[in-house]
Amino acid sequence: MSGKIHILGAAGSGTSTLGASLSKVLTHKHLDTDDYFWISKFTAQRQVTERIKMLKKDLSIYQKWILSGALCGWGDEFKSYFDLVVFLWIPQDIRLQRLQEREFQRYGNEILAGGSKHDQSEVFLEWASLYDNAGMEVRSKTLHEHWMTDLSCPILRIEGNYSVEEQVNIVLNYLKSN
């Protein structure tokens, strides 16, 4: 069974949710790249060298782990660490709806016009909407596809609007048969 799993995909594709759910079933430690990337969530980024140092330390502590989120650009040296990479993709309209709902859950009316988080939320949603059609210059499907080309481990693609339970079962069935 794979002890070191990385889950990646677009913002709102469910990488963190799948990672947390899988970690309970597999008894792997769940780690998320956002915890390394941000000093203060979504406002202040941590320096790349510090992110790498922190992640390296945590990955060395646990024999079995699931790392959710994106490493592209700053964590390329971790590509050889993985036993399995799970790539999630869901249709853009569903993903953007999830993100809008998540933004409202986090910030409430502050994301509405005139609210203190309105501009930040609009910029984030615009950035997230670029995923399916943008090139290598931003976090995009193109960038993720390119990033995965030289991985030495298997890649499990879960593409479509599946429930978390269905995604967990897809991964578990894959692990049992490989």
Side-chain angles (χ1 to χ4, degrees):
M1 189 173 285
S2 297
K4 298 169 182 168
I5 300 170
H6 177 44
I7 305 170
L8 76 148
S13 65
T15 62
S16 300
T17 303
L18 178 58
S21 297
L22 261 180
S23 71
K24 291 175 185 154
V25 176
L26 296 174
T27 65
H28 286 45
K29 176 68 176 173
H30 178 232
L31 305 167
D32 193 89
T33 58
D34 278 349
D35 296 327
Y36 302 91
F37 191 89
W38 301 103
I39 295 171
S40 173
K41 278 251 170 113
F42 316 122
T43 55
Q45 295 180 12
R46 187 172 274 116
Q47 291 293 319
V48 172
T49 53
E50 186 64 19
R51 288 178 219 162
I52 291 171
K53 181 180 172 186
M54 290 171 63
L55 183 56
K56 236 180 222 179
K57 178 180 180 254
D58 286 352
L59 294 180
S60 71
I61 292 172
Y62 305 101
Q63 288 188 341
K64 295 179 177 182
W65 46 257
I66 296 168
L67 177 65
S68 56
L71 289 170
C72 295
W74 68 268
D76 291 353
E77 70 182 79
F78 295 104
K79 285 182 174 184
S80 65
Y81 283 47
F82 312 129
D83 297 327
L84 174 67
V85 167
V86 178
F87 174 71
L88 297 183
W89 180 89
I90 63 171
Q92 180 176 359
D93 57 332
I94 296 167
R95 189 172 56 77
L96 293 178
Q97 181 64 38
R98 282 184 186 177
L99 289 173
Q100 288 172 330
E101 291 169 6
R102 187 172 78 187
E103 286 287 282
F104 192 78
Q105 286 172 352
R106 282 185 179 154
Y107 306 117
N109 289 336
E110 293 303 310
I111 68 166
L112 301 178
S116 66
K117 298 284 186 182
H118 178 263
D119 291 347
Q120 175 185 319
S121 183
E122 290 292 309
V123 167
F124 168 69
L125 291 170
E126 176 62 31
W127 169 81
S129 74
L130 298 173
Y131 183 82
D132 287 299
N133 299 309
M136 301 278 286
E137 71 281 0
V138 296
R139 181 172 163 191
S140 66
K141 190 168 191 276
T142 301
L143 179 65
H144 282 163
E145 294 286 357
H146 182 265
W147 189 83
M148 290 186 290
T149 58
D150 64 346
L151 288 171
S152 57
C153 68
I155 299 167
L156 173 60
R157 294 172 174 274
I158 303 176
E159 299 187 26
N161 186 24
Y162 296 98
S163 69
V164 177
E165 185 179 337
E166 289 171 320
Q167 291 175 335
V168 166
N169 287 330
I170 291 168
V171 175
L172 293 177
N173 288 335
Y174 177 86
L175 292 173
K176 285 176 190 166
S177 65
N178 288 289

